[in-house]
Amino acid sequence: MAENTHQINPDKWVDSYSHYLFNYAIVRVNDREVAKDLISETFLAGLRSMKYFKGEATERTWLISILKRKIIDHYRKINSKKGQAEVKINYTDGDHEGEWLEEKVADNFEQSAEDELVNNELGAAIYNCLDKINPKHAQIFKMKTIDNFDTEVICNEFGISASNLWVIIHRARTALAECMEEKWLK
């Protein structure tokens, strides 16, 4: 086995990677303070696990993989407080794209008739809002987030790039959030 000659330089992490990591985190957590905290936790975890860095990926890719785990842990913590069933995070970085899925099996005995009614009403409100946003955005959003189509399939069907797909997904989520805030939360 060849000796690892790739060195990590944590002294340059903040200058070299903090902006990239922040941009990566902010689109996934949508909260500046949480994103900053996750980046700090990422750098700290990177320092703690430097000896395990094998040099098989770039330093940035390695830090992103740590940040992905921190984001999942963040949502897992939130979801354990809310009792939600799963966390699904779609991601793309310069070299890879895919999704992380963490599940917590729900105890059906814990769900009341009122919970079921709220879930049905919420589902109806989401579909109602999907009918009110840009039809192309709604269709792409449904295919990716509800029907779990692969990015490549959607891109080929609509003749768009993966980057454009994520822009459309973001716009659909923003429009849905605005509609839900107006229709559901009032």
Side-chain angles (χ1 to χ4, degrees), residues 31-54:
D31 183 312
R32 295 181 69 79
E33 294 307 312
V34 171
K36 289 176 185 177
D37 289 345
L38 291 171
I39 293 165
S40 296
E41 291 175 25
T42 297
F43 287 151
L44 186 58
L47 286 171
R48 287 185 186 137
S49 60
M50 281 175 44
K51 61 186 171 208
Y52 302 111
F53 179 70
K54 297 176 184 174

Side-chain angles (χ1 to χ4, degrees), residues 111-125:
Q111 189 171 15
S112 69
E114 183 178 338
D115 292 334
E116 190 171 329
L117 178 63
V118 168
N119 285 339
N120 289 339
E121 288 175 0
L122 177 60

Side-chain angles (χ1 to χ4, degrees), residues 56-152:
E56 294 171 355
T58 65
E59 197 171 41
R60 183 178 88 168
T61 301
W62 181 69
L63 288 169
I64 283 289
S65 70
I66 294 171
L67 178 58
K68 287 174 189 172
R69 288 190 295 272
K70 295 297 177 188
I71 292 169
I72 288 171
D73 290 344
H74 165 75
Y75 280 112
R76 185 182 297 139
K77 182 178 177 183
I78 289 171
N79 286 343
S80 68
K81 290 178 183 172
K82 291 182 179 179
Q84 294 179 350
E86 68 180 30
V87 176
K88 184 174 183 179
I89 301 174
N90 292 316
Y91 69 88
T92 57
D93 60 29
D95 305 321
H96 304 89
E97 63 181 74
E99 58 188 35
W100 289 89
L101 178 65
E102 296 287 328
E103 294 185 51
K104 175 185 167 207
V105 178
D107 183 353
N108 291 333
F109 295 109
E110 290 179 14
Q111 189 171 15
S112 69
E114 183 178 338
D115 292 334
E116 190 171 329
L117 178 63
V118 168
N119 285 339
N120 289 339
E121 288 175 0
L122 177 60
I126 289 170
Y127 277 100
N128 186 31
C129 285
L130 278 170
D131 290 339
K132 293 183 181 348
I133 68 173
N134 177 307
K136 179 180 177 183
H137 293 184
Q139 186 177 6
I140 289 172
F141 180 85
K142 286 180 206 174
M143 288 176 74
K144 185 65 184 163
T145 62
I146 297 171
D147 300 328
N148 294 318
F149 278 83
D150 287 334
T151 298
E152 186 176 345

Side-chain angles (χ1 to χ4, degrees), residues 7-19:
Q7 298 295 314
I8 289 182
N9 190 351
D11 295 333
K12 295 187 178 182
W13 285 354
V14 172
D15 292 336
S16 299
Y17 307 118
S18 62
H19 291 294

